[in-house]
């Protein structure tokens, strides 16, 4: 009976810790997500001059963004670190990928973690929950030519 109880408690603890890990797997908060419509408005209204927009995915699609390269590649994370080393920590830095839905994206987590580890106070992740096509291009938001 005691073994059965210990086993059940162990299984429940593993289950609960798995749920906790799933609920907290993102390394950003809701306040650190930037809606595409907000960024598109800033770009369209010429209010993006003080922003640094970085693509950590396969291509720099968004107007005015700089291509760093996919964040899953350690070389590109090093490139990102080098690119940001002289940027003021108060600068609004927006990173995006858009290759696939957030839950499967291999690029956003390492890049956003680096941004936070470097102490950026206004680091944002562009909220592209599906992909760059659905959440940006299909809405006819500004793109690089």
């Amino acid at each position: 009976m005691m073994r059965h109880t210990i086993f059940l408690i162990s299984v429940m603890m593993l289950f609960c810790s798995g749920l906790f890990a799933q609920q907290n797997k993102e390394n950003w908060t809701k306040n650190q997500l930037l809606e595409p419509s907000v960024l598109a408005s800033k770009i369209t209204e010429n209010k993006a001059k003080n922003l640094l927009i970085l693509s950590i995915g396969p291509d720099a699609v968004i107007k005015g963004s700089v291509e760093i390269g996919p964040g899953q590649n350690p070389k590109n994370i090093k490139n990102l670190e080098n690119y940001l080393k002289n940027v003021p920590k108060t600068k609004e830095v927006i990173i995006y990928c858009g290759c696939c839905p957030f839950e499967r994206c291999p690029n956003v987590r390492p890049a956003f973690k680096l941004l936070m580890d470097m102490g950026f106070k206004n680091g944002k992740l562009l909220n592209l929950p599906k992909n760059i096509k659905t959440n940006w291009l299909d809405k006819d938001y500004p793109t690089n030519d």
Side-chain angles (χ1 to χ4, degrees):
M1 180 70 170
M2 184 63 140
R3 277 193 222 168
H4 182 70
T5 303
I6 291 172
F7 174 76
L8 284 176
I9 290 171
S10 299
V11 169
M12 287 176 54
M13 287 175 58
L14 285 172
F15 178 75
C16 290
S17 66
L19 283 177
F20 181 76
Q22 284 180 345
Q23 291 172 349
N24 294 303
K25 71 178 181 177
E26 308 306 2
N27 57 350
W28 57 82
T29 67
K30 196 173 187 179
N31 291 335
Q32 291 170 315
L33 290 175
L34 180 66
E35 292 304 313
S37 60
V38 173
L39 179 58
S41 291
K42 287 182 179 188
I43 294 169
T44 303
E45 297 168 9
N46 291 321
K47 295 180 180 176
K49 293 176 187 134
N50 294 323
L51 304 177
L52 179 56
I53 308 167
L54 303 173
S55 170
I56 47 84
D59 194 18
V61 173
I62 296 173
K63 184 175 182 174
S65 64
V66 176
E67 186 171 340
I68 300 295
Q72 67 180 331
N73 184 328
K75 181 182 129 236
N76 292 333
I77 293 298
K78 189 66 177 164
N79 291 343
L80 177 60
E81 182 177 22
N82 288 334
Y83 192 89
L84 292 171
K85 69 180 171 187
N86 294 319
V87 174
K89 301 299 186 227
T90 55
K91 178 99 170 163
E92 187 171 359
V93 179
I94 300 157
I95 63 170
Y96 73 96
C97 177
C99 70
C100 58
F102 274 162
E103 65 266 9
R104 292 195 325 253
C105 183
N107 300 312
V108 294
R109 287 167 189 81
F112 195 78
K113 181 180 182 326
L114 175 68
L115 198 62
M116 294 299 101
D117 288 350
M118 289 182 74
F120 282 88
K121 307 292 183 224
N122 294 310
K124 302 277 185 193
L125 175 61
L126 190 60
N127 191 12
L128 301 171
K130 293 192 179 182
N131 57 51
I132 193 77
K133 182 183 181 315
T134 302
N135 301 118
W136 192 271
L137 296 174
D138 287 352
K139 297 181 188 252
D140 210 21
Y141 291 152
T143 59
N144 282 325
D145 295 328

